[in-house]
Amino acid sequence: IAFAIGANPLLVGAACVSASAASSSYYIGADAVLLTSASTEVTPKGYIDALFPYAGIAYILSTAAYVAAGLIL
């Protein structure tokens, strides 16, 4: 698909890996969320609520980095 739309396949692959890692960390039913909330005795919703501002910052920074890399490469 990357070749078909003229995108850099390395950037597309990196974006897919980043999306996969982010979704496993921010999804309320993911093992990372459940294990962390169980070991810290916090509810999964409380964990997600605490993580959300940092996830937003990471989303903004990674989006900017991917756009910049796309323009440079």
Side-chain angles (χ1 to χ4, degrees), residues 8 10-12 14-15 18 56-73:
N8 185 329
L10 294 176
L11 285 177
V12 172
S18 294
I57 292 168
Y59 172 76
I60 291 167
L61 292 176
S62 64
T63 301
Y66 279 116
V67 169
L71 294 173
I72 293 169
L73 298 176

Side-chain angles (χ1 to χ4, degrees), residues 12-50:
V12 172
C16 290
V17 170
S18 294
S20 174
S23 66
S24 73
S25 298
Y26 309 140
Y27 172 57
I28 200 162
D31 60 343
V33 172
L34 295 177
L35 289 173
T36 304
S37 61
S39 63
T40 57
E41 298 179 357
V42 175
T43 64
K45 183 174 180 339
Y47 175 76
I48 294 293
D49 289 343

